[in-house]
Amino acid sequence: MTLVERFSACQPDTIDYRFTVTDPATFTRPWTASIPMRKIKGPNLEYGCHEGNYALPKRPQRRSR
């Protein structure tokens, strides 16, 4: 399996995260996904780094749309 990741600044507050998976043993052809990542206010913490760290201040929950 081959995974190619690309990060592109498409707007001042948006990064386009795009990855392509190539695995002839599993898929008939390569496939690509694209996820826009928008800048947020406040600290940007990786989930795995602060998971269960109760010393961090609570962040407000996102409201459902």
Side-chain angles (χ1 to χ4, degrees):
M1 179 174 86
T2 303
L3 176 68
V4 177
E5 296 177 293
R6 291 186 175 90
F7 294 88
S8 304
C10 53
Q11 295 178 1
D13 64 344
T14 306
I15 293 175
D16 181 51
Y17 169 58
R18 185 176 301 252
F19 62 91
T20 302
V21 177
T22 305
D23 186 0
T26 306
F27 303 108
T28 57
R29 59 190 171 126
W31 59 274
T32 301
S34 176
I35 304 166
M37 300 168 63
R38 294 205 167 91
K39 186 176 180 179
I40 61 171
K41 293 181 183 178
N44 186 11
L45 303 171
E46 180 184 358
Y47 180 76
C49 292
H50 69 83
E51 177 184 12
N53 186 350
Y54 299 107
L56 287 174
K58 292 199 182 254
R59 294 183 60 171
Q61 298 294 323
R62 287 187 177 178
R63 292 183 290 186
S64 300
R65 293 184 183 192

